[in-house]
Amino acid sequence: MSRTYVVTGAASGIGKATSELLTERGHRVIGVDIHDAEVVVDLSTDEGRAALLEGVTAASGGTIDAIIANAGLATSTPTTVAVNFFGAVSTLELLRPLLSGSDAPRAVATASMASLFPADQELLDALLAGDEPAALHRAGELVAAGEQAAGQIYGTTKQALAKWIRRNAPTAEWAGAGIPLNAIAPGVVETPMTSAFTGSTEAREAILQQVPMPLNGIFAPRDVAYLLAWLTSEENAHLCGQVVFIDGGSDAVIRGDSTW
Ligand SMILES: NC(=O)c1ccc[n+]([C@@H]2O[C@H](COP(=O)([O-])OP(=O)(O)OC[C@H]3O[C@@H](n4cnc5c(N)ncnc54)[C@H](O)[C@@H]3O)[C@@H](O)[C@H]2O)c1
């Protein structure tokens, strides 16, 4: 049966591959991005988030079947905080009412295996408190403190997003409304975001030291699309608050059996 999917970050990489896969399978995809999409909005701003709701409501007629909150940035800047955490959470919360008309509503967010890297606690606390001005301020301080401190911004946003999913998935708004809400945590995927890490043999070897991927190494966005498509399909009715690592084994190497 044809379903209606909203995919953010649809113009590139994982979002583009997912939109293509779902379209090939006969579904309707409403692509959202800051450029080259059906709904063009900037998810780093309140205005852009309001325009997201307006644009998706108009494009869908008011009912959607699934949300794939995937847009993200990997720069060490405050904008990464605005897009990766507040943009993703706003996408899920603002669009959730549009799922109420679906027989099989589903939602998923794209976190990252980088959520396992050391986080900045002050930024993490501000994110999980939902305090965007404080989080942007802290990100500015990390940038001012230099490359190493600023380098914590990306992973911290992804840890916060994974934790937000864990906290919210079992609640009345999500599980209580029959909506499986989950996250994925990719390892290194070959997209424009990671071109600096995957463009040469030396670069690939260096990133694999940081992100060990013993199972088949760096992979293509289409492989992530298969997982996102399944998590948001009618077949997934019982996964709740899971963060599924699609990472060639980096989680199993880094965390071993400290989680299960
Ligand atoms: N590529 C990887 O190795 C990898 C690993 C783990 C997680 N991720 C995550 O996967 C998601 C997709 O990344 P990708 O690798 O496909 O990167 P990408 O850069 O190819 O695609 C990201 C898309 O998000 C869009 N975007 C950025 N800022 C936006 C904004 N303000 N408003 C609306 N759209 C915006 C971009 O325009 C782009 O089309 C991201 O959340 C990223 O953090 C990627």
Side-chain angles (χ1 to χ4, degrees):
M1 205 181 71
S2 176
R3 290 160 57 74
T4 300
Y5 289 76
V6 176
V7 178
T8 71
S12 177
I14 294 168
K16 186 175 181 192
T18 305
S19 301
E20 288 169 355
L21 177 67
L22 293 168
T23 304
E24 281 166 31
R25 290 180 174 177
H27 299 298
R28 159 94 167 101
V29 175
I30 301 171
V32 178
D33 209 297
I34 198 165
H35 59 86
D36 297 311
E38 182 172 348
V39 176
V40 174
V41 296
D42 180 354
L43 291 171
S44 72
T45 67
D46 281 339
E47 299 72 38
R49 297 165 196 158
L52 165 76
L53 176 59
E54 202 178 308
V56 170
T57 303
S60 65
T63 294
I64 61 174
D65 296 294
I67 306 165
I68 300 179
N70 166 79
L73 267 186
T75 54
S76 296
T77 61
T79 313
T80 289
V81 166
V83 178
N84 290 12
F85 184 80
F86 295 103
V89 167
S90 299
T91 298
L92 293 166
E93 290 197 316
L94 288 170
L95 299 184
R96 189 184 57 227
L98 305 186
L99 292 170
S100 63
S102 173
D103 292 338
R106 307 284 183 260
V108 67
T110 303
S112 172
M113 70 67 59
S115 60
L116 303 181
F117 293 153
D120 178 71
Q121 193 60 47
E122 194 176 327
L123 177 57
L124 189 64
D125 290 345
L127 290 165
L128 288 171
D131 188 340
E132 190 162 5
L136 293 175
H137 178 74
R138 179 59 186 162
E141 288 179 346
L142 291 172
V143 172
E147 209 178 311
Q148 206 182 340
Q152 292 185 305
I153 290 174
Y154 179 76
T156 305
T157 65
K158 294 300 190 178
Q159 185 181 142
L161 181 58
K163 287 184 168 169
W164 188 91
I165 296 285
R166 298 276 302 161
R167 289 180 182 186
N168 285 273
T171 63
E173 288 76 17
W174 294 96
I179 310 167
L181 171 65
N182 296 283
I184 64 162
V188 183
V189 184
E190 206 155 358
T191 70
M193 179 179 280
T194 54
S195 58
F197 307 118
T198 60
S200 68
T201 308
E202 297 72 40
R204 292 169 86 92
E205 280 168 7
I207 192 71
L208 287 172
Q209 292 294 318
Q210 227 188 319
V211 184
M213 298 172 65
L215 179 66
N216 295 329
I218 296 168
F219 53 100
R222 178 90 174 185
D223 293 317
V224 185
Y226 292 127
L227 177 60
L228 287 170
W230 185 79
L231 286 168
T232 50
S233 72
E234 288 160 299
E235 289 176 359
N236 173 27
H238 302 283
L239 257 70
C240 179
Q242 296 303 302
V243 180
V244 183
F245 282 76
I246 174 165
D247 66 345
S250 65
D251 171 41
V253 172
I254 293 168
R255 290 201 291 186
D257 63 3
S258 66
T259 182
W260 59 91

